[in-house]
């Protein structure tokens, strides 16, 4: 690393870019390949490495062209930082626990010159709540729009993630009728509609569901022909991982087809339902991931454990589509011995868990070229 | 079922499925709910119509079948056509329906041939054609219909062609009356219509104002007339035609001699049996001659209005004896079975046998039961009915089915029951038409029903007839408010009227806490466990001798480790101290009293280990009934479970309160909307802003039904409610050693497993049974656990205790690994044992929104291959669907819709048998029996004997030359076709629940509110008045 440090100092060649990183009172200088900056996680690891602060959670910021201190906490803003650095990329690192979030934002670096006021009146800025821009692993998805590529534009498939019981799902459904185009012309058919959103509930906070949206499917199963009580029971049974397909009452906010830029939460697609070729066909998820389904067993030693899934036998493979086999997967984070390196199935939760992975990734793994 | 048939399936499996499964509703057991008309001709077949439009025919035991009117209207009257396998029904929409029994493939079926509605001339009032009485004429071609207008219409059968020229209009009758009879307004509705017992050309017409005429059909003239001063109710014509007995609304009956020459201005004799104070009407009367010469007078009603006006009585007077049989429910209709055949008497008028009735049995159809009284035996004892049992003589609270009872136990139960039935007559069942062709039942099955009054009734459920074998009462163990002397009711000699209670229907429970909630019978050892509403668990043993002993009492404190809870529900029942006398049969020896005394919600008995497990909404316990020692208790309460703590009573109250509130709100909102109407358009902004509350209420009224979508949380109430208990000998701790275990599942999705150590037999009485909690599984979907089952190494469910010891089952495979099946309301899950890991699951609710209500393991044998059989789960969902889910792979096999989803009580009452059959209540008094198996079908199959064959076998009219006479005693029999295959028309589904009123009534009983009965009760009172004895023999 010292090697890189030394060599980088004098280099000014086209492909590389000088990085000056400040942590506390210490500076480190190194260089990056401008065209191949790698991923944020790798850069983060590199910073920890060059500052010799492994296992210290830090916040990374950089000074942009306007002199504002902006955070780097994902691939997007990392690439932005690399591409706009001219000629030098100035990095500021703060320990997370001591982080001064107010430092970020417009004019922050300029303001920061007026350190004295801050020192003299430390309470001053604490009174104002600041928006915390935190690391991706601090987020968890609460909702997503999925299967945009396979659904008609008039439909929306929304996935609600339920964690614990802190926030209610918070919506009501009712019976109603909708008009359908059939071979016999327009026909009124009974349907299920969202009738109310509970203020402060999960459904309302996502902004993806609205009153009078017609519910078409619940976790891949069509609701047509089912009673209100049946649909209610289906939704409650799937409440930990609820995927509902709706026809929004307001059709103006529809996602434009073939554009993957949709996600309010950064997950534009979710492959968990790729198994269904036609959106209107009932689709079953053979490997319906059940983060919710990890029943707990307390053996006589009194320690609660999640119940592992038994390895499926060969005979069970021939079973019907409705029967979900419980595949072994590393998705539940409570089995430490296996680590998190696997996650072989392409399921929705994997992306969820990938975001946790970077802490343990090693620098050597790949990617970033350290120029000397 | 369609959705499970997907391309790429194994065709062999599909074929096998067809051999294994089929769905049939086979037979209805019990007493028809709300019979609206009953009528028995002397054809030895009894017909009962119900308010929901069903017609049921009953003959000899096993001969029964049913038809259903498409209209689902109440059946008002049923008349058999004389000497034919045909009957005519009158519905409350004034339509007539002709039914006949047709032979198909060796068995007969009841079919509707046609229907007809009487049309009056255009512009006539509807009452002109409102039928009050019907008389099928002995010519078998004509049907006389008396109407409210006083006209008698004639209709030709079987085509229902109105013969207008033969109509006997009231005007025509009036014109032919002598002058002095004409001055009174005699023409009201026709109350009675009878054919002359011997001369088919004479018909008697009785009008409600008191005029009775005998009409000559050929000459269209009045032969005689009789004028009574009182309103006419009914008429009986003596067999020789020389005497008429009329009964009247003032409680009197009169005798009129018939002679065409002299007109009789005054009755020969008038008597008012229960006078002199005002009496209620006598609505029907029979005057029957006997060999001894003294007639039988049998009449309904006539009781003193003030003191006994509310009784439902039928009085029998004969030879100085008089008894008023007092029924606990309203009398719908009654008839008398007489030796002489009515058809025979006419043609052979010279013979003695034709002119005497010699009645031998009185058949009474009351609203809630059928009572037959032996008139030949002194004292007139009742006859025990082989069918139409009054299942609901006290409300059914639970049921339990035990298949394949060992002969020994069967005989002991019958012997115990025989002693209880000593008061019944020894007479053969008199209604014995038809012959049952059904094969003898393949095995002996018991259905046990628990009742609100603390009794358990043992029914023979092997065949078509559900027969009461034995009745066990647990009330004796407890001190209750009932005064035993009250039952005697002071049967003094000088008592007048001479009332005598008959029938078993007694819906009034002394103490609701006595109600039976769970029953568990071990068929091998004769041990029975019974648990009730007030937390009482009784362990009983079958004893062939009467005994007097004290019942040991043990208290199980299920709140042991919880402090500060107060039970606000009912108190425990006080046990009777000291020795108690028990009659032969099941005798209790231990009473385990749960504290708090909440309803026992689950019960399991292991007769081999001598253990009984019980659970309530607070927890569960294990009791060693060998050593009479409690092994352990476990509290399953969640600290926030408020409802469980307060008990059920407060819950009911809150429900009532909320109902009341919502009604009030509705009324208020209606009132306000009415008030608002003149004020302006309802959507007006100003009004809305000034009366925000009012609009809010209005919106609420308009808003459609909404359902909240919320994940189930751990804080839901009643999570501690123990839903299921299960004993298993399995690998609970390690895979090398199996041990006895007890499993419990709660409403909150928790499964507890306790390892038990049961001492070997030689030290069983000395060493204590030990238990230790080994596992606790929390299902994350938190749905109530409704079933737990352990599968052995071959994935076969573990056998019942003692089954192996009796060589009735293969011993379970203890080599391979065992699996645990947990059935919650939402999912089926298979776990491995002893290390609990999830292996397979079927998410029922997540896929189709239905929930499991009942689950049972059933053995299905193939109808083709004798030796092929499979164990599967029979499942009933909240939608009323019955499904078969395979073991151990949890594949849905078949699905049939069985019960209407709105029929909550039907779904709740369902029990499965071990061989793929099941029972559920279609009304408070009837079980529907269904079968999922191709092999085990219990359904009536009866042969219809041809008319000619029959004429030889019946001596009573052997000398009758006419063909019609030969037809006379034809015994009709029939088979109920099974729902789907044989009958393409209306499915044999009971129409009862299509009736809104019935649904409401069921609801109201569920809510404990009996107020809404009034409506249909009063409606039916009107119905009852219209019943006539028109076809009485």
């Amino acid at each position: 690393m010292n090697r890189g440090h030394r060599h980088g100092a004098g280099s000014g060649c086209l492909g590389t870019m000088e990085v000056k990183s400040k942590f506390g009172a210490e500076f480190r200088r190194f260089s990056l390949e401008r065209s191949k900056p790698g991923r944020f996680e790798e850069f983060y690891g590199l910073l920890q490495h060059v500052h010799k602060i492994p296992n210290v959670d830090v916040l990374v910021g950089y000074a942009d062209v306007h002199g504002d201190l902006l955070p780097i906490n994902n691939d997007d803003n990392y690439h932005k930082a690399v591409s706009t650095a001219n000629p030098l990329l100035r990095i500021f690192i703060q320990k997370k626990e001591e982080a001064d979030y107010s430092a970020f934002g417009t004019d922050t670096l300029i303001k920061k010159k007026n350190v004295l006021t801050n020192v003299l009146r430390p309470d001053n800025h604490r009174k104002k709540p600041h928006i915390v821009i935190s690391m991706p692993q601090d987020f968890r998805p609460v909702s997503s729009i999925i299967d945009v590529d396979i659904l008609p534009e008039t439909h929306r498939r929304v996935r609600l993630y339920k964690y614990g019981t802190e926030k209610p799902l918070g919506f009501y459904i009712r019976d109603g009728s909708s008009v359908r185009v059939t071979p016999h012309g327009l026909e009124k058919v009974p349907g299920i509609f969202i009738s109310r959103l509970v203020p402060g509930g999960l459904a309302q906070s996502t902004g993806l569901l609205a009153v009078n949206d017609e519910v078409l499917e619940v976790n891949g199963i069509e609701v047509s022909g089912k009673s209100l009580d049946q649909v209610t029971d289906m939704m409650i049974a799937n409440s930990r991982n609820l995927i509902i397909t709706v026809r929004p009452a307001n059709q103006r906010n529809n996602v434009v087809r073939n554009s993957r830029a949709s996600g309010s939460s950064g997950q534009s697609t979710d492959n968990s339902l790729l198994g269904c070729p036609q959106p209107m066909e009932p689709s079953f998820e053979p490997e319906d991931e059940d983060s919710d389904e990890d029943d707990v067993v307390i053996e006589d030693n009194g320690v609660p454990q999640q119940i592992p899934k038994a390895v499926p036998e060969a005979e069970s493979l021939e079973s019907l589509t409705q029967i979900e086999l419980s595949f072994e997967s590393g998705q539940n984070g409570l089995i430490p011995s296996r680590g998190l390196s696997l996650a072989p199935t392409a399921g929705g939760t994997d992306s969820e868990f990938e975001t946790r992975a970077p802490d343990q990734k090693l620098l050597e793994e790949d990617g970033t070229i350290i120029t000397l | 079922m369609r959705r499970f048939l997907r391309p790429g399936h194994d065709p062999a499996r599909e074929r096998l499925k067809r051999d294994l499964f089929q769905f049939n509703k086979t037979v209805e057991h019990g007493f028809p709910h709300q019979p609206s008309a009953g009528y028995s001709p002397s054809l030895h077949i009894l017909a009962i119509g119900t308010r929901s439009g069903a017609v049921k025919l009953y003959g000899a035991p096993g001969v029964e079948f049913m038809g259903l009117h498409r209209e689902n209207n109440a059946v008002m009257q049923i008349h058999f056509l004389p000497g034919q396998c045909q009957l005519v029904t009158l519905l409350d929409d004034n339509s007539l329906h002709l039914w006949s029994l047709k032979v198909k493939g060796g068995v007969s079926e009841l079919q509707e041939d046609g229907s007809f509605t009487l049309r009056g001339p255009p512009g006539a009032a509807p009452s002109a054609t409102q039928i009050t009485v019907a008389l099928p004429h002995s010519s078998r071609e004509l049907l006389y219909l008396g109407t409210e207008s006083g006209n008698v219409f004639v209709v030709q059968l079987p085509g229902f062609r109105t013969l207008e020229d033969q109509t006997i209009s009231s005007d025509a009758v009036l014109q032919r009356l002598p002058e002095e009879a004409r001055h009174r307004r005699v023409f009201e509705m026709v109350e009675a219509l009878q054919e002359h017992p011997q001369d088919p050309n004479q018909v008697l017409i009785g009008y409600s104002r008191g005029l009775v005429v005998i009409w000559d059909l050929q000459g269209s003239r009045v032969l005689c007339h009789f004028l009574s001063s009182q309103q006419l109710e009914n008429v009986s014509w003596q067999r020789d035609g020389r005497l008429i007995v009329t009964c009247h609304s003032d409680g009197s009956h009169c005798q009129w001699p018939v002679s065409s020459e002299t007109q009789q201005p005054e009755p020969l004799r008038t008597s008012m049996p229960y006078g002199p104070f005002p009496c209620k009407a006598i609505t029907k009367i029979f005057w029957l001659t006997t060999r001894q010469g003294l007639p039988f007078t049998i009449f309904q009603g006539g009781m003193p209005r003030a003191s006994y006006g509310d009784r439902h009585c039928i009085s029998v007077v004969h030879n100085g004896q008089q008894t008023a049989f007092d029924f606990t429910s309203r009398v719908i209709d009654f008839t008398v079975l007489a030796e002489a055949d009515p058809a025979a008497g006419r043609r052979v008028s010279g013979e003695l046998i034709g002119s005497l009735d010699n009645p031998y049995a009185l058949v009474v159809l009351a609203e809630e039961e059928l009572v037959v009284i032996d008139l030949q035996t002194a004292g007139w004892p009742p006859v025990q009915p082989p069918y139409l049992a009054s299942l609901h003589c006290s409300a059914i609270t639970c049921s339990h089915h035990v298949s394949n009872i060992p002969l020994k136990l069967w005989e002991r139960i019958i012997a115990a029951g025989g002693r209880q039935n000593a008061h019944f007559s020894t007479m053969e069942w008199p209604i014995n038409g038809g012959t049952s062709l059904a094969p003898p039942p393949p095995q002996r099955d018991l259905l046990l029903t628990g009742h609100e009054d603390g009794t358990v009734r043992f029914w023979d459920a092997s065949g078509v007839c559900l027969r009461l074998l034995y009745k066990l009462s647990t009330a004796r163990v407890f001190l209750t408010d009932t005064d035993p002397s009250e039952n005697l009711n002071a049967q003094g000699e000088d008592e007048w009227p001479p009332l005598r209670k008959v029938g078993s229907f007694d819906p009034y429970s002394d103490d609701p806490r006595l109600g039976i909630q769970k029953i568990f019978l071990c068929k091998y050892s004769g041990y029975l466990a019974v648990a009730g509403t007030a937390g009482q668990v009784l362990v009983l043993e079958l004893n062939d001798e009467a005994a007097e002993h004290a019942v040991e009492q043990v208290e199980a404190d299920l709140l042991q480790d919880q402090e500060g809870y107060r039970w606000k529900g009912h108190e425990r029942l006080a046990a009777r101290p000291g020795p108690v006398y028990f009659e032969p049969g099941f005798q209790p020896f231990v009473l385990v009293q749960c504290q708090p005394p909440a309803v026992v919600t689950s019960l399991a008995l292991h007769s081999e280990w001598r253990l009984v497990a019980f659970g309530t909404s607070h927890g569960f316990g294990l009791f060693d009934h060998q050593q009479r020692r409690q092994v352990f208790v476990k509290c399953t309460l969640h600290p926030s479970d408020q409802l469980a703590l307060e008990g059920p009573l407060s819950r009911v109250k809150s429900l009532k309160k909320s109902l009341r509130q919502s009604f009030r709100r509705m009324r208020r909102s209606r009132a306000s909307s009415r008030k608002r109407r003149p004020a302006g358009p309802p959507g007006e902004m100003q009004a809305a802003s000034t009366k925000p509350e009012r609009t809010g209420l209005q919106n609420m009224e308009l808003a459609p039904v909404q359902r909240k979508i919320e994940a189930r949380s751990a804080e839901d109430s009643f999570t501690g409610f123990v839903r299921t208990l299960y004993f298993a000998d399995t690998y609970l701790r390690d895979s090398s050693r199996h041990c006895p275990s007890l499993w419990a599942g709660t409403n909150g999705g928790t499964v507890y497993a306790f390892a038990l150590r049961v001492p070997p037999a030689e030290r069983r009485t000395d060493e204590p049974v030990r238990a230790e909690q080994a596992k606790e599984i929390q299902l994350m979907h938190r749905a109530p656990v409704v079933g737990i089952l352990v599968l052995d190494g071959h994935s076969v469910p573990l056998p019942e205790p003692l089954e192996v010891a009796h060589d009735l089952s293969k011993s379970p495979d203890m080599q391979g690994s065992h699996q645990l099946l947990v059935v919650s309301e939402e999912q089926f899950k298979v776990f491995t044992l002893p290390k609990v890991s999830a292996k397979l699951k079927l998410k029922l609710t997540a896929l189709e929104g239905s929930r499991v209500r009942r689950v049972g393991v059933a053995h299905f044998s193939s109808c083709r291959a004798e030796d092929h059989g499979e164990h599967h789960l029979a499942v009933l969902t909240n939608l009323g669907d019955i499904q078969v889910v395979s073991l151990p792979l949890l594949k849905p096999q078949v699905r049939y819709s069985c019960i209407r989803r709105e029929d909550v009580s039907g779904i709740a009452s369902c029990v499965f048998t071990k061989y793929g059959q099941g029972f559920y209540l279609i009304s408070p008094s009837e079980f529907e029996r269904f079968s999922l198996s191709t092999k085990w079908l219990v359904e009536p199959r009866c042969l219809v004997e041809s008319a000619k064959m029959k004429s030889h076998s019946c001596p009573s009219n052997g000398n009758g030359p006419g063909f019609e006479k030969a037809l006379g005693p034809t015994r009709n029999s029939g088979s109920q076709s099974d729902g789907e295959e044989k009958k393409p028309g209306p499915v044999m589904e009971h129409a009862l629940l299509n009736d809104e009123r019935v649904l409401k009534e069921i609801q109201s009983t569920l809510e404990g509110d009996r107020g809404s009965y009034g409506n249909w009760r009063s409606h039916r009172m009107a119905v009852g008045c219209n019943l006539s004895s028109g076809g009485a023999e």
Side-chain angles (χ1 to χ4, degrees), chain B residues 157-178:
Chain B
L157 287 175
F160 282 121
R161 199 162 58 82
T162 316
L163 301 175
E164 280 170 19
D165 54 324
Q166 293 194 29
T167 302
I168 308 164
S169 71
S170 51
D171 292 338
V173 174
L174 194 67
Q175 280 163 22
R176 287 162 180 83
L177 276 180

Side-chain angles (χ1 to χ4, degrees), chain B residues 307-440:
Chain B
S307 37
Y308 296 97
D310 55 342
R311 302 295 181 101
H312 314 288
C313 288
I314 289 180
S315 305
V316 179
V317 186
H318 173 64
N319 195 13
Q321 289 178 56
Q322 181 163 357
T323 300
F325 292 102
D326 186 6
F327 295 87
T328 49
S329 56
R330 200 167 59 85
V331 173
I332 304 292
D333 203 354
F334 76 101
T335 192
V336 181
L337 303 185
E339 272 172 19
D341 187 83
R346 179 173 66 246
R347 291 294 167 93
V348 288
S349 51
E351 287 182 40
L352 193 67
I353 191 162
S355 54
L356 290 179
D357 294 303
N358 287 324
Y360 59 94
L362 169 66
V363 180
V364 182
L365 178 72
E367 197 168 25
E368 305 289 359
E369 61 189 327
L370 179 77
V371 177
V372 173
I373 287 162
D374 176 3
L375 294 177
Q376 285 181 324
T377 310
W380 298 328
V383 186
Q384 188 179 20
Y387 45 69
L388 284 168
S390 214
L391 289 170
H392 60 318
C393 32
S394 169
I396 295 179
T397 44
C398 66
S399 36
H400 176 71
H401 185 272
V402 191
S403 303
N404 216 351
I405 303 285
L407 183 63
K408 184 81 185 125
L409 179 69
W410 189 257
E411 285 171 343
R412 290 173 74 191
I413 291 174
I414 288 178
R419 292 191 193 93
Q420 296 178 328
N421 295 334
H423 64 285
F424 282 115
S425 161
T426 52
M427 178 191 253
E428 289 273 307
W429 183 244
I431 302 167
N432 55 4
T435 21
S436 175
L437 292 182

Side-chain angles (χ1 to χ4, degrees), chain B residues 382-539:
Chain B
V383 186
Q384 188 179 20
Y387 45 69
L388 284 168
S390 214
L391 289 170
H392 60 318
C393 32
S394 169
I396 295 179
T397 44
C398 66
S399 36
H400 176 71
H401 185 272
V402 191
S403 303
N404 216 351
I405 303 285
L407 183 63
K408 184 81 185 125
L409 179 69
W410 189 257
E411 285 171 343
R412 290 173 74 191
I413 291 174
I414 288 178
R419 292 191 193 93
Q420 296 178 328
N421 295 334
H423 64 285
F424 282 115
S425 161
T426 52
M427 178 191 253
E428 289 273 307
W429 183 244
I431 302 167
N432 55 4
T435 21
S436 175
L437 292 182
Q443 59 184 28
R444 291 166 297 271
D445 287 356
L446 262 187
L447 180 69
L448 281 68
T449 53
H451 298 263
E452 202 183 11
D453 61 354
T455 56
V456 178
R457 284 173 166 80
F458 290 62
W459 305 91
D460 172 5
S462 328
V464 172
C465 296
L466 195 68
R467 195 161 54 93
L468 180 66
L469 296 180
Y470 167 70
K471 184 178 121 181
L472 161 74
S473 175
T474 61
R476 200 183 293 272
V477 180
F478 304 99
L479 289 167
T480 51
D481 301 335
T482 43
D483 186 5
S485 64
E486 197 187 345
N487 287 344
L488 302 174
N489 208 6
Q491 279 284 332
E493 283 298 307
D494 52 344
E495 194 70 18
W496 189 262
L499 292 172
R500 197 169 107 200
K501 277 245 182 278
V502 280
S504 57
F505 178 71
D506 178 20
Y508 307 105
S509 169
D510 306 322
D511 190 336
R513 294 177 296 169
L514 288 170
I516 305 294
Q517 297 294 335
K518 293 286 162 195
I519 305 170
F520 204 110
L521 172 69
C522 172
K523 60 185 175 187
Y524 301 109
S525 61
Y527 279 112
L528 172 72
V530 163
T533 306
Q536 74 271 33
V537 180
L538 283 166
V539 189

Side-chain angles (χ1 to χ4, degrees), chain A residues 169 195 229 295-296 298 310 320, chain B residues 9 706-707 710 776 829 838:
Chain A
L169 278 168
S195 61
D229 288 329
D295 304 331
V296 178
I298 302 173
L320 294 171
Chain B
H9 270 280
Q706 292 187 87
R707 291 283 183 274
E710 214 50 81
E776 180 180 332
K829 280 193 140 173

